[in-house]
Amino acid sequence: MARTVIVVIDGFGIGAMPDAGVQRPGDLAADTCGHVLDHARTALGRPLRLPVLGALGLGLVHPHPDLDRRTRLPVAAGRAALGYPGADTFAGHQTMMGADFSRVSVARLADHLDEVADALTAAGHRTERLEGRPLLLVDKTVLVHDNLEADPGINWNASGSLEDLPFDGDTGILAIARAVRAVAPVARVIAVGGHADGPLPGFVRPGEGGTVGLDTPATGFYRNGGLRVQHLGAPLDHTRQLPALAAGAGIPVTLVGKAADILVCEAAARRPAVATSDVLDHALEAVRADGDALVVANVQETDLAGHQQDATRYARLLEQVDAGLAGLVALLSAPGDRLIVTGDHGNDPTIGHAHHTREYVPVLIHRPGEDGIELLPDADTLADVGATAARSLGLAPEQLATGTPLHTGRRTPVLRP
């Protein structure tokens, strides 16, 4: 029986990557894990209680006074660079599952405006620049613009009011987004339809890095009900990603939390959830089933706490995650079982802005049946996590589009209790 569970703590970084300051110089000081631990001592009046993360080796890859550096568990621990441009949940998960993002770039709409306008015209739409600014008004109703809720140049949006036109159909918002997707170099084009408090051009504002876009929260889309959203990712061969590879080998696949929304695998069981307790319960339920299993679970609320710059909430969520991981460690006890705990990017809640931070992420592997504690070399990409999971399931990692299994590094027997 082969069972592998990947738990992605969304927005859980362990220190800035060397290029973290390209967009914002201050992000070179990002350290989601360390800053949350430091904050907890003041805010909660005690150290954060993370015994399971400590036992899985978090203190080995991110030394901190409040993290244990000794463990009785058979673990391998290291850290991974992101391996894709920017810091984005969608790109992070696709890369982790083995997708090749080498042809995806960070780009402002302003630098591709003519190309996008030509594609929309060829698809039968009318386009104009809104008051001369670098965004497009399509068919007098839909705005094609930079996404202001992610880092500049990561995603573009096609946003429209559902009072003006439908979301679906040949002339709807989604059709316009698909025409943009055909020429967009960015990771995601997001089709958004909702009920606004007024005409959308009134909610356009400048963003960071020379971007211009719709202030979507200000429109009322998120509070007025009826919101429609569809994420159109960069063209990827999903058959060469871990979920499809596992399903093709007859291994049941369960996608939990946000992973159920953004990963592609027709054969997978999907358990969408936002509440951390629900995500952990779904993961535990999937592991309790008899037979082989691949479970990919995303804990989204940590990322939301980062966006809210709420370090106290982030700290409490980490303790909740830690308690849930205890149940997974107990269930995944047979030789060959694997629990991999990692992140998709950073989201430092103390950094002073509400964007993701470009950080290394932990790679913590519980490996029953193995001896000792081992340190892993730094992974160049999150794709190495997916390749490692493939190997643990008895699959051929080279069938993924990219990624190399992490080989264990030097042993650290002195860290045994």
Side-chain angles (χ1 to χ4, degrees), residues 36 64 84 132 141 154 176 178 186 188 270 273 282 284-285 289 311 322-323 325 359-360 367 373 390 403:
V36 169
H64 190 279
Y84 64 88
T141 54
I154 297 292
I176 291 171
R178 284 176 172 151
V186 296
R188 274 185 289 178
R270 297 182 183 276
H282 287 317
L284 286 164
E285 180 184 0
D322 196 87
L325 291 175
E359 298 180 52
Y360 292 101
R367 43 188 200 140
I373 304 163

Side-chain angles (χ1 to χ4, degrees), residues 129-375:
R129 289 182 63 165
L130 183 66
E131 300 172 353
R133 290 180 283 183
L135 70 166
L136 296 174
L137 182 62
V138 183
D139 297 338
K140 301 291 186 182
T141 54
V142 174
L143 288 174
V144 175
H145 59 93
D146 293 306
N147 180 305
L148 302 186
E149 295 175 80
D151 273 337
I154 297 292
N155 306 317
W156 298 347
N157 282 22
S159 304
S161 174
L162 296 176
E163 282 82 15
D164 296 330
L165 80 171
F167 187 78
D168 300 303
D170 293 340
T171 59
I173 299 167
L174 184 56
I176 291 171
R178 284 176 172 151
V180 176
R181 172 72 276 173
V183 296
V186 296
R188 274 185 289 178
V189 173
I190 307 173
V192 183
H195 300 287
D197 294 335
L200 295 187
F203 299 101
V204 171
R205 65 171 176 82
E208 294 183 5
T211 57
V212 178
L214 187 68
D215 187 342
T216 305
T219 65
F221 276 5
Y222 295 157
R223 63 176 180 275
N224 291 338
L227 181 69
R228 296 289 304 277
V229 178
Q230 187 161 333
H231 298 265
L232 306 177
L236 301 171
D237 184 355
H238 296 293
T239 66
R240 298 188 66 191
Q241 289 186 282
L242 180 62
L245 191 62
I251 298 172
V253 178
T254 304
L255 305 176
V256 181
K258 199 170 183 179
D261 298 326
I262 60 179
L263 295 179
V264 174
C265 179
E266 291 185 5
R270 297 182 183 276
R271 303 290 184 265
V274 175
T276 299
S277 57
D278 292 341
V279 171
L280 296 169
D281 285 347
H282 287 317
L284 286 164
E285 180 184 0
V287 174
R288 290 190 183 104
D290 293 334
D292 299 341
L294 168 65
V295 181
V296 183
N298 171 279
V299 178
Q300 184 181 2
E301 286 192 300
T302 45
D303 188 52
L304 298 178
H307 286 307
Q308 294 160 350
Q309 291 287 276
D310 189 340
T312 300
R313 182 187 180 206
Y314 200 123
R316 294 191 185 280
L317 286 165
L318 276 183
E319 290 190 326
Q320 187 177 0
V321 171
D322 196 87
L325 291 175
L328 289 170
V329 169
L331 286 173
L332 295 166
S333 58
D337 285 347
R338 292 293 183 268
L339 170 63
I340 303 174
V341 179
T342 187
D344 51 352
H345 50 73
N347 199 340
D348 190 330
T350 71
I351 203 68
H353 61 73
H355 295 298
H356 294 159
T357 43
R358 190 164 164 80
E359 298 180 52
Y360 292 101
V361 296
V363 181
L364 313 176
I365 306 174
H366 177 231
R367 43 188 200 140
E370 301 291 334
D371 292 327
I373 304 163
E374 300 196 26
L375 295 181

Side-chain angles (χ1 to χ4, degrees), residues 8-75:
V8 183
I9 306 176
D10 204 314
F12 189 50
I14 57 172
M17 290 176 55
D19 60 357
V22 171
Q23 184 64 50
R24 290 175 294 271
D27 282 9
L28 282 172
D31 180 359
T32 302
C33 177
H35 291 157
V36 169
L37 288 167
D38 293 341
H39 173 85
R41 276 190 169 267
T42 301
L44 305 180
R46 59 170 174 81
L48 208 56
R49 300 186 181 112
L50 303 176
V52 181
L53 284 167
L56 289 172
L58 182 59
L60 301 180
V61 298
H62 187 289
H64 190 279
D66 295 340
L67 291 174
D68 198 344
R69 298 193 67 190
R70 296 176 178 272
T71 179
R72 294 183 180 276
L73 294 181
V75 299

Side-chain angles (χ1 to χ4, degrees), residues 79-149:
R79 65 177 189 171
L82 301 185
Y84 64 88
D88 178 66
T89 295
F90 176 85
H93 281 71
Q94 301 300 335
T95 300
M96 191 184 301
M97 294 299 106
D100 182 0
F101 259 67
S102 61
R103 284 182 282 184
V104 174
S105 63
V106 175
R108 299 178 307 162
L109 179 61
D111 298 327
H112 297 267
L113 211 57
D114 291 342
E115 184 182 3
V116 173
D118 289 346
L120 287 163
T121 300
H125 301 284
R126 294 167 296 157
T127 67
E128 59 186 288
R129 289 182 63 165
L130 183 66
E131 300 172 353
R133 290 180 283 183
L135 70 166
L136 296 174
L137 182 62
V138 183
D139 297 338
K140 301 291 186 182
T141 54
V142 174
L143 288 174
V144 175
H145 59 93
D146 293 306
N147 180 305
L148 302 186
E149 295 175 80

